[in-house]
Amino acid sequence: MKYLDEFRDQTLAEPLLKELRRSVTKPFRVMEVCGTHTMSIFRSGLRTLLPEEIELISGPGCPVCVTSASHIDAILAMAELQNTRIALFGDLFRVPGSNGLSLANASSQGAKVDIVYSPMDSLNLARKYPEELIVFLGVGFETTTPGIAATILAAKNSALDNFAVFSTHKTMPPPLLALLDDPELQIDGLLCPGHVSSIIGAGAYQPLADTYKLACVVGGFEPADILQALILMARQIANGEARVENAYTRAVRWEENSRAQQMVRAIFKTADMEWRGLGVIPESGLAIREEYSHYDAERRLNIKLTPATEPKGCRCGEILKGKEVPSQCPLYGKRCTPGNPVGPCMVSSEGTCAAFFKYTQ
Amino acid sequence: MKVIEIQGDPDDFLSGQIALVDADGIRKETRLDIVDRWPDLGDYLIIHAGFAIHTLDPQEAETNIRLMREMAEKVEAAEAVEQRT
Amino acid sequence: MNPGNTILLDHGSGGIASQELISQIFLKHLDNSILASLEDSAVMENHPGKIAFSTDSYVVDPIFFPGGNIGTLAVHGTINDLTMRGARPLCLSLGLILEEGFKLDDLERVIVSIAECAKSADVPIVTGDTKVVPRGKCDKIFINTSGIGIVEDGVNVSSTMAQEGDLILLSGSMGDHGITIMTRRAGISLDGNLASDSAALNELVALLLDKLPSGSLHTLRDPTRGGVATSLNEIAAAAGLAVEIDDQAIPVKPEVRAACEIMGLDPLYLANEGKCLALVAPEQAAKALQLMRSTAVGTDAAIIGSLKAGKAGQVVLRTAIGGSRIITPLHGEPLPRIC
């Protein structure tokens, strides 16, 4: 595919890797925040090629993994309601709630569950099943939310009544600030997410670079993109610098994508949000504004979140914070495998545990 | 994916803002509601869950590749010097 | 046959309506003397060698798709399962479960395809059965085919025969069937020239068995559900050896790669319905490749890797940038991802 293959080319990756080895002067720890980065680093085999001075830590950037057990329980409760059909991204299908059961189980018991590629596809479901309420599970960060906002607006404009969104939308900077305030977590650089940055702009990381003296580099998802970002980071660290740099110039600008952000602000307002493993982080989530409450599944179905505990022994919380690696979890590879996942980090294809299991076992 | 058809008006959300995009013969309709810049035919779109989020003009992408190649060539040039000395 | 042109419960009754269905659709297209005798079982001539016996059921949705339909899969699938043990397929059975209300035109289309596939592979349908279930008790049409094949004396093809040093051949591009089916399902609309690779492999396998020195073709597998990744894991486990494959050697059509990219899927895990993996002694691999490429279904064949000493059962992929990663078997149905 044009503008993908070029960045996967070995003739480009090989010299970049050499340049990276030359640029690394001392050991450093990088948090890759985005689940797509985690996946790409494993899938391309990059992890096996990087200089050993670079320690990669996966951050809380897999949207499915950070969805709290109480939100999953609420989703399962909605799936049981009469005349309700759940539309969702495929990753969520097998995520277990606090009782170990998932939407896959609910579906087998007769719940109406449809996997869609785009939130817009759920409007087609609403047209197809006029007697049902279609609840789209809004899960995701800055990249996904604008499309869901546009879908709500499209539902309103076409007077489609039987559609609502269950919003667990989250924003990326607040959990990063929360993590960086944790003295136990020592990191030198942040590999900033490509597509999130395309929406919020590279400038959004300036406070992180300033406050925490962190080398922040925005990187694309192909191997050459990641290598280029790591070279820039290694050079900053070698020179004792802490700046925001953009290695993904074809997709990310310094400024935000204002069309997308205006769409989000029109439909959503900031709200406190519970993150798996991180607890409730103030103003880290997005709730649907009053004006659009008709499209808010939480209000329309009167869903109450009840506190839920994570599965016993599951270390997803610590793994999401980058404090532990999957092999430190007592369940990893034993009770918890991609075929029979216990925690969300194993369920989602972007989850750290699934990536470790799939590509290194 | 490459833009091969555009429908709708950039200033009118109700006009059905849609692009038909192509990659290696696979075609897909993509919403343009939230794209940063209204594309021209021949531009490339970065797509997430059915929505274009960024319009990439071919020149920008070439610049991105060129910068990487320069970084890479520097290494090769340096190695060539090392080998000669 | 009936004014509504749909399957009625009567068609499964065994009475007049059943007989009409048999004569006006089944025998019309699947005509051969053994089937036409309408006895309770088919009686076949005996052949020297060992008997291979296989069965498979087909419930694909949608039933019609570019490159084939549920009928082509039912014929090709069981023929291919037989040939993967080095057998020459002799005959097939055809069991149909039809939903009340299924369109007769669609049934005839499926049966015509079955007849064509059976004829072109030269494997007759010699016995059959039809049942009709009330509306909603099955989805349009379910098919079971079983098949018998003959393994000639001296032929021994199985996963346990794989040996260290064997080269791994793949008879063509990966993922064509799986991606075609996924993009036809509701909720995912992609246009493009994607088509299932549904095809019979008996001719290709017969050529390998005939032309390669006896004992040099060790293992055959058709990577259907679970894809090449899962089949290689099964081979590695059965052989007690490690598999190493080269990402860049694996044939994938550009349009399949593009569709996988869009949907967040890995072509290594997608189903194929007309491809096989062959493990061949290294000195015969070039010849085997040439033979595969000389057939219509094997033009894109490639050598993709080898069997090595190493961690038993492990499959390692060398990536395009020179790294490596482990390929595990498929866990659950592949689903489109969030990004």
Side-chain angles (χ1 to χ4, degrees):
Chain A
M1 256 170 104
K2 186 79 181 152
Y3 299 132
L4 275 185
D5 294 340
E6 291 89 336
F7 300 96
R8 288 178 186 173
D9 187 359
Q10 184 167 14
T11 59
L12 193 54
E14 216 169 285
L16 285 175
L17 200 56
K18 282 184 191 158
E19 175 61 21
L20 177 61
R21 291 201 183 104
R22 290 202 328 188
S23 307
V24 175
T25 54
K26 56 179 175 187
F28 62 92
R29 301 182 85 199
V30 185
M31 177 173 272
E32 94 265 358
V33 180
C34 178
T36 310
H37 273 143
T38 309
M39 277 261 294
S40 176
I41 288 167
F42 277 110
R43 269 196 73 173
S44 63
L46 202 54
R47 218 181 163 92
T48 58
L49 296 171
L50 292 179
E52 57 185 32
E53 289 91 345
I54 302 180
E55 188 185 346
L56 285 174
I57 304 163
S58 305
C62 158
V64 170
C65 306
V66 293
T67 305
S68 72
S70 56
H71 281 106
I72 300 287
D73 287 353
I75 289 167
L76 291 170
M78 284 189 289
E80 281 181 14
L81 297 174
Q82 291 287 316
N83 299 323
T84 299
R85 181 177 293 267
I86 305 290
L88 74 159
F89 293 129
D91 311 48
L92 266 175
F93 191 58
R94 298 192 193 97
V95 182
S98 57
N99 64 357
L101 298 177
S102 66
L103 280 172
N105 299 106
S107 171
S108 78
Q109 296 303 307
K112 295 179 278 289
V113 180
D114 280 62
I115 291 168
V116 294
Y117 165 76
S118 164
M120 225 30 133
D121 296 333
S122 47
L123 298 190
N124 295 335
L125 289 172
R127 290 185 191 99
K128 190 173 168 190
Y129 302 105
E131 73 288 358
E132 295 173 358
L133 176 69
I134 310 301
V135 176
F136 179 78
L137 303 183
V139 168
F141 299 118
E142 283 88 342
T143 327
T144 318
T145 316
I148 295 170
T151 306
I152 292 177
L153 199 54
K156 186 166 189 236
N157 287 333
S158 52
L160 212 53
D161 210 37
N162 60 326
F163 170 75
V165 170
F166 181 64
S167 176
T168 71
H169 297 106
K170 297 174 178 68
T171 50
M172 195 38 101
L176 291 179
L177 292 169
L179 282 176
L180 292 167
D181 277 331
D182 184 340
E184 274 182 57
L185 188 70
Q186 292 296 324
I187 56 173
D188 308 288
L190 207 58
L191 178 58
C192 303
H195 288 166
V196 165
S197 306
S198 161
I199 303 288
I200 67 176
Y205 305 102
Q206 192 63 54
L208 294 181
D210 292 343
T211 314
Y212 300 98
K213 302 284 166 266
L214 212 55
C216 297
V217 185
V218 178
F221 298 117
E222 303 310 322
D225 287 319
I226 296 170
L227 284 167
Q228 191 196 12
L230 290 175
I231 291 169
L232 295 176
M233 195 179 296
R235 287 178 184 170
Q236 280 195 42
I237 289 166
N239 297 335
E241 294 173 307
R243 293 185 285 127
V244 178
E245 282 185 282
N246 180 9
Y248 196 25
T249 50
R250 65 186 185 283
V252 176
R253 294 175 212 285
W254 187 260
E255 302 77 28
E256 66 172 20
N257 169 346
S258 59
R259 288 186 85 220
Q261 291 289 64
Q262 280 168 19
M263 181 76 79
V264 171
R265 286 172 200 134
I267 309 286
F268 293 99
K269 59 179 183 192
T270 53
D272 298 348
M273 179 59 70
E274 185 184 351
W275 295 61
R276 193 179 291 246
L278 303 173
V280 175
I281 303 176
E283 302 199 338
S284 67
L286 293 167
I288 297 172
R289 287 183 183 278
E290 295 285 342
E291 304 94 283
Y292 293 92
S293 60
H294 190 65
Y295 300 96
D296 186 345
E298 206 169 326
R299 278 186 255 187
R300 202 157 153 182
L301 296 171
N302 195 23
I303 299 295
K304 294 271 175 281
L305 293 182
T306 43
T309 49
E310 292 181 31
K312 212 176 163 210
C314 174
R315 306 294 292 165
C316 278
E318 299 305 302
I319 289 161
L320 286 168
K321 284 186 252 183
K323 286 187 178 176
E324 289 187 7
V325 292
S327 53
Q328 287 172 280
C329 173
L331 306 185
Y332 174 81
K334 297 181 185 85
R335 258 182 62 212
C336 186
T337 62
N340 189 18
V342 176
C345 296
M346 189 61 94
V347 183
S348 170
S349 48
E350 291 194 357
T352 307
C353 296
F356 264 81
F357 192 92
K358 265 196 260 180
Y359 299 132
T360 64
Q361 213 214 0
Chain B
M1 295 179 83
K2 192 176 184 173
V3 178
I4 53 172
E5 260 179 58
I6 298 173
Q7 290 173 30
D9 177 343
D11 300 316
D12 181 8
F13 181 73
L14 292 172
S15 65
Q17 304 170 329
I18 290 170
L20 185 64
V21 290
D22 174 285
D24 292 316
I26 297 296
R27 294 181 172 194
K28 177 147 188 62
E29 283 191 346
T30 288
R31 303 284 307 201
L32 296 173
D33 314 44
I34 58 167
V35 71
D36 66 325
R37 173 173 72 75
W38 192 259
D40 293 320
L41 292 180
D43 276 340
Y44 286 75
L45 294 176
I46 294 179
I47 298 166
H48 178 87
F51 286 86
I53 58 170
H54 186 86
T55 301
L56 167 152
D57 76 46
Q59 222 181 334
E60 266 179 348
E62 296 302 336
T63 308
N64 208 163
I65 298 172
R66 188 170 49 79
L67 288 175
M68 283 184 187
R69 290 224 173 94
E70 280 172 14
M71 228 179 215
E73 274 161 18
K74 220 178 85 189
V75 183
E76 280 163 357
E79 277 182 356
V81 172
E82 275 166 30
Q83 276 171 10
R84 259 182 271 133
T85 50
Chain C
M1 249 179 300
N2 77 66
N5 277 318
T6 55
I7 288 289
L8 306 176
L9 287 172
D10 289 348
H11 285 117
S13 65
I16 301 289
S18 305
Q19 286 169 21
E20 276 179 11
L21 199 62
I22 290 168
S23 62
Q24 290 175 26
I25 294 188
F26 301 146
L27 288 183
K28 180 177 160 195
H29 299 293
L30 298 169
D31 191 27
N32 66 68
S33 57
I34 304 175
L35 186 68
S37 71
L38 297 178
E39 298 276 4
D40 279 346
S41 65
V43 174
M44 311 288 297
E45 289 300 322
N46 204 0
H47 292 254
K50 290 185 286 251
I51 290 173
F53 180 40
S54 187
T55 189
D56 207 342
S57 298
Y58 301 84
V59 296
V60 66
D61 171 39
I63 57 172
F64 297 105
F65 44 83
N69 60 53
I70 190 169
T72 68
L73 293 184
V75 175
H76 295 149
T78 296
I79 288 178
N80 293 346
D81 284 346
L82 291 169
T83 57
M84 292 305 107
R85 295 304 308 278
R88 287 166 205 262
L90 192 62
C91 59
L92 297 178
S93 71
L94 176 68
L96 300 173
I97 296 177
L98 305 176
E99 184 187 16
E100 181 188 18
F102 182 52
K103 290 195 188 82
L104 283 171
D105 285 350
D106 286 347
L107 175 63
E108 187 156 11
R109 257 178 90 188
V110 170
I111 298 298
V112 166
S113 292
I114 287 174
E116 285 169 0
C117 293
K119 191 169 178 223
S120 105
D122 198 19
V123 185
I125 311 282
V126 294
T127 185
D129 176 57
T130 305
K131 293 285 187 291
V132 178
V133 295
R135 208 178 167 92
K137 299 283 180 191
C138 86
D139 189 12
K140 298 184 227 22
I141 175 171
F142 293 164
I143 302 181
N144 172 275
T145 50
S146 298
I148 289 173
I150 303 298
V151 183
E152 284 176 13
D153 291 330
V155 171
N156 189 359
V157 177
S158 85
S159 295
T160 53
M161 295 298 288
Q163 289 168 24
E164 188 181 332
D166 279 358
L167 292 183
I168 303 170
L169 283 76
L170 179 58
S171 69
S173 60
M174 255 193 333
D176 300 61
H177 177 74
I179 199 78
T180 304
I181 296 299
M182 289 198 72
T183 54
R184 298 284 134 180
R185 289 202 178 138
I188 302 157
S189 48
L190 285 183
D191 286 333
N193 43 348
L194 298 171
S196 168
D197 56 346
S198 180
L201 294 164
N202 53 334
E203 203 184 319
L204 180 147
V205 169
L207 194 65
L208 294 179
L209 287 170
D210 289 344
K211 304 279 184 183
L212 292 177
S214 174
S216 55
L217 174 61
H218 298 152
T219 306
L220 290 164
R221 264 300 160 107
D222 59 339
T224 53
R225 287 174 305 161
V228 169
T230 307
S231 291
L232 287 174
N233 270 278
E234 289 163 2
I235 291 170
L241 291 164
V243 162
E244 188 176 303
I245 52 171
D246 175 4
D247 194 23
Q248 284 177 302
I250 301 171
V252 183
K253 289 189 179 135
E255 58 270 30
V256 173
R257 196 179 286 286
C260 282
E261 209 52 71
I262 293 163
M263 292 168 62
L265 296 169
D266 186 344
L268 272 174
Y269 290 92
L270 293 178
N272 308 279
E273 291 292 344
K275 301 289 157 51
C276 67
L277 289 158
L279 273 66
V280 180
E283 64 279 8
Q284 294 301 327
K287 188 174 181 190
L289 183 65
Q290 198 188 2
L291 291 168
M292 275 191 179
R293 286 182 174 170
S294 73
T295 64
V297 293
T299 47
D300 298 328
I303 296 176
I304 63 163
S306 62
L307 262 186
K308 295 194 161 176
K311 194 175 167 190
Q314 193 172 63
V315 180
V316 179
L317 177 88
R318 294 277 160 228
T319 65
I321 61 163
S324 64
R325 69 179 221 235
I326 308 293
I327 304 290
T328 58
L330 177 68
H331 298 283
E333 186 80 1
L335 301 170
R337 293 189 299 109
I338 189 165
C339 39

